[in-house]
Amino acid sequence: MGNIRFIEHDGTEHTAEIEEGKSLMQAALDNAVPGIDADCGGSCACGTCHVIVDRRWLDKTGAISSIEEQMLDLTPEKEETSRLACQITLSEAMDGMVVRLPEFQM
Amino acid sequence: MSMLSKFIEKGIETGTRMVPLEYQVKGSHVVQSVKQRLSLHRPIPVFVEKPIPDVATLSIDEIDVSNPFLYRQDKWESYFKRLRDECPVHYQKQSPFGPFWSVTRFEDILFVDKNHDLFSAEPIISLGPQPEGLEIETFIAMDPPKHDVQRAAVQGVVAPKNLKQMEDLIRARTADVLDHLPVNQPIDWVSHVSIELTARMLATLFDFPYEQRRKLAHWSDVAAGSPETFGGTSDTHEAFTTAAEAARLMSQLWREKAAKKATGEELGFDLISLLLSNDDTKDMINRPMEFMGNMVLLIIGGNDTTRNSMSGGVLALNQFPEEFTKLKNNPALIPSMVSEIIRWQTPLAYMRRVAKQDVELNGQTIRKGDKVVMWYASGNRDERNIDNPDQFIIDRKNVRNHLSFGFGIHRCMGNRLAEMQLRILWEEILQRFDNIEVIGEPKRNQSNFVRGYTEMMVSITPKA
Ligand code: HEM
Ligand code: FES
């Protein structure tokens, strides 16, 4: 069983176990990782599940749709490796992946 | 092209960029007045209130949820429930606002809001058109890529980083209002608290002359009260006078800030200062339609929505007193209650779109060009997505999953500001008051868009 590491803006770390097929957003919620609001419940329509993926893991997270891109553009916190956690489906290949949380969800 | 923009474009073409905005608006008014005398204008509907029948007595085709008295007469719940259950995507052929589709279930609303490539927000998001001659260009009613550029230019002002700097000031101003409220006697919560606080917040956001802050609320009310647009009660003449005044004061404010900047003085965190300090927007005053559009959008967007959530929260806690007890026993529930207030109230009933192509939705074929109304007020009461949706439950599970801020690229830009203001209000209320009792029926707006209160008499019991 692999793990994902979430790092809050202030450096606090959380780990979540990988459950194949679950979204990264759901994993964060299920493990009480703070700072993921997920206002639209995973529909790629609110942008409040924003995470910044460690560069080394970005290619494991899958393609980014144009809707996701547009939603990410709405947040001033956006960085080069930003993703919406509800659009990332977990797999064992992500074991050890590190994602940072932005200071604010917009 | 709108009358207003014609005037503005003409001014720019002839190199008379210095024609103050105010005169451009007044010029538009003169053309309108002449047209009205010649009867060239579009007729403006007048809405006369009649008792709304029980929905069970109507055929499905007869149901018209654009009726601006539906909310005031408290019939909206039964009307929308019938549509959700029997005809979730419903066509009304001949409303006073023309034919339109109603989308009433949570999931279908999400679908429409998300798919901006299928459903356009242009030319406007209201059921009816904007008043002739006052068609303001705002990014809430623009599709990408124009929308994205304009939104990016202003969203910094309500971004959480900026809000952090405003929080202390908003709290101090909130505390000041509450400390001066008369207690143990009837007062109007709407005027004393809800309008006053939102006017103060807007004055903070714009760094608008503080003594004149109630003007911001007034402008917004006039704009949101347009009969042909939303079924309201404003009159056209007043709308023009108001727009001219707003244009004058806002451009004046811009020039003052620009002068400050020129002398090297430090700029604040208000909207105009932010626009002035960004290279893409520092000359926005030379694009008057865009400038006024942005000002108006933030004034209207931030005004009666937050105001009516402030009143709605008090009403909800009166209708569900056990929730008030729950809150007093556990003030940590305030953030969750704030989301529940915003869901329960749903301050804006809908946003409207226009289908860009034929679309199948829940068994109906929406044709290209048809108006499509996403009824957030109905989706927020959809039993399919929300348990006991008519109940006000401050510690509701997944309380943030509501439709009141919309979804997709137009999702409310001011949502964090609205939530912060309401959170501060309730934190400060709990410090001071034991009860806020609603005495008598509140008065509700005439509108199919704004769901709110024009008066709510209360009596406040201070903490012992
Ligand atoms: C409880 C309070 C509020 C509610 C319920 C609310 C509701 C909404 C809704 C329903 C939309 C359209 C969403 C869509 O089309 O999907 C919207 C957009 C918008 N709101 Fe709010 N709003 C609130 C407070 C505010 C505040 C305080 C401001 C600013 C000061 C604001 C500024 C805006 C702006 C600028 C847009 C346009 C966003 C865009 O088109 O990209 N709102 N709001
Ligand atoms: S939960 Fe809304 S975009 Fe991911």
Side-chain angles (χ1 to χ4, degrees), chain A residues 37-41 43-46 48 67 70-71 73-77 103-106, chain B residues 110 114 116 144 147-148 151 155 158-161 164 400-402 407-409 411 413 416:
Chain A
D37 290 328
D39 289 1
C40 73
S43 302
C44 196
C46 70
T48 66
I67 290 204
Q70 279 170 319
M71 289 311 295
D73 280 340
L74 299 182
T75 170
E77 309 272 309
E103 186 174 5
F104 304 105
Q105 298 287 352
M106 180 76 184
Chain B
L110 179 60
K114 224 178 112 168
H116 55 82
H147 161 270
D148 309 0
R151 174 164 170 150
Q155 75 176 2
V158 287
K161 263 202 182 81
K164 240 178 153 174
R400 299 187 59 88
N401 295 170
H402 61 71
F407 281 127
I409 57 163
R411 182 174 163 79
M413 191 180 94
R416 299 289 168 180

Side-chain angles (χ1 to χ4, degrees), chain B residues 53-116:
Chain B
D54 188 330
V55 68
T57 64
L58 302 177
S59 73
I60 221 65
D61 294 345
E62 287 172 320
I63 294 179
D64 180 3
V65 283
S66 76
N67 187 321
F69 305 104
L70 201 61
Y71 175 68
R72 178 188 276 180
Q73 293 187 21
D74 218 8
K75 286 280 200 296
W76 65 279
E77 285 179 344
S78 55
Y79 271 64
F80 282 114
K81 180 161 176 39
R82 174 124 185 251
L83 290 187
R84 282 196 306 276
D85 290 346
E86 289 178 30
C87 188
V89 178
H90 171 263
Y91 194 59
Q92 164 54 248
K93 277 203 264 311
Q94 44 181 21
S95 87
F97 305 89
F100 68 95
W101 290 95
S102 283
V103 182
T104 59
R105 285 191 189 167
F106 192 106
E107 289 298 335
D108 294 341
I109 293 168
L110 179 60
F111 175 84
V112 175
D113 225 351
K114 224 178 112 168
N115 285 286
H116 55 82

Side-chain angles (χ1 to χ4, degrees), chain A residues 74, chain B residues 113-114 121 125 138-142 147-148 151 154-155 157-158 198 201-202 205-206 294 297-309 338 342 346-353 374 376 402-419 421-422 449:
Chain A
L74 299 182
Chain B
D113 225 351
K114 224 178 112 168
I125 49 68
T138 62
F139 62 86
I140 197 170
M142 288 176 194
H147 161 270
D148 309 0
R151 174 164 170 150
V154 293
Q155 75 176 2
V157 73
V158 287
T198 28
M201 177 276 288
L202 285 175
L205 204 60
F206 288 97
N294 281 316
L297 178 57
L298 266 84
I299 295 172
I300 301 185
N303 188 50
D304 39 24
T305 51
T306 318
R307 174 201 301 178
N308 291 323
S309 305
V338 164
I342 295 169
T346 317
L348 298 182
Y350 66 83
M351 289 285 151
R352 184 260 272 196
R353 300 291 185 257
M374 304 177 279
Y376 300 133
H402 61 71
L403 287 167
S404 300
F405 291 129
F407 281 127
I409 57 163
H410 289 286
R411 182 174 163 79
C412 180
M413 191 180 94
N415 60 346
R416 299 289 168 180
L417 172 59
E419 287 173 352
Q421 274 184 278
L422 288 162
F449 183 66

Side-chain angles (χ1 to χ4, degrees), chain B residues 151-353:
Chain B
R151 174 164 170 150
V154 293
Q155 75 176 2
V157 73
V158 287
K161 263 202 182 81
N162 207 36
L163 292 185
K164 240 178 153 174
Q165 310 203 43
M166 272 188 262
E167 176 157 357
D168 289 345
L169 190 53
I170 290 182
R171 188 180 297 280
R173 290 178 167 182
T174 305
D176 178 61
V177 166
L178 298 182
D179 284 338
H180 291 92
L181 286 180
V183 294
N184 297 319
Q185 56 178 285
I187 59 160
D188 178 13
W189 183 263
V190 173
S191 166
H192 275 81
V193 180
S194 310
I195 295 184
E196 182 55 26
L197 279 180
T198 28
R200 286 181 183 211
M201 177 276 288
L202 285 175
T204 312
L205 204 60
F206 288 97
D207 194 20
F208 189 80
Y210 199 55
E211 338 62 70
Q212 298 192 55
R213 62 186 177 273
R214 294 290 276 239
K215 282 201 172 136
L216 295 166
H218 177 67
W219 296 343
S220 164
D221 287 347
V222 173
S226 158
E228 56 184 328
T229 319
F230 302 116
T233 50
S234 303
D235 79 58
T236 322
H237 179 73
E238 195 185 6
F240 274 96
T241 328
T242 306
E245 188 191 31
R248 179 171 61 85
L249 287 176
M250 282 300 170
S251 0
Q252 199 176 316
L253 198 56
W254 178 285
R255 302 210 186 279
E256 280 166 23
K257 302 253 171 218
K260 244 186 171 180
K261 186 185 168 200
T263 63
E265 230 183 289
E266 204 178 315
L267 290 173
F269 51 74
D270 59 279
L271 178 66
I272 293 180
S273 294
L274 286 191
L275 292 175
L276 278 166
S277 34
N278 178 327
D279 271 348
D280 297 334
T281 51
K282 67 180 194 315
D283 300 316
M284 197 187 270
I285 193 77
N286 298 333
R287 301 189 295 277
M289 288 312 292
E290 186 184 335
F291 173 60
M292 272 319 282
N294 281 316
M295 297 295 128
V296 169
L297 178 57
L298 266 84
I299 295 172
I300 301 185
N303 188 50
D304 39 24
T305 51
T306 318
R307 174 201 301 178
N308 291 323
S309 305
M310 290 178 171
S311 307
V314 169
L315 185 63
L317 287 173
N318 271 261
Q319 289 183 10
F320 300 87
E322 64 290 355
E323 299 298 303
F324 204 169
T325 313
K326 212 191 260 176
L327 174 70
K328 284 194 278 191
N329 290 337
N330 185 7
L333 288 173
I334 290 175
S336 158
M337 177 179 76
V338 164
S339 291
E340 179 67 348
I341 290 173
I342 295 169
R343 179 194 71 89
W344 186 82
Q345 182 61 37
T346 317
L348 298 182
Y350 66 83
M351 289 285 151
R352 184 260 272 196
R353 300 291 185 257

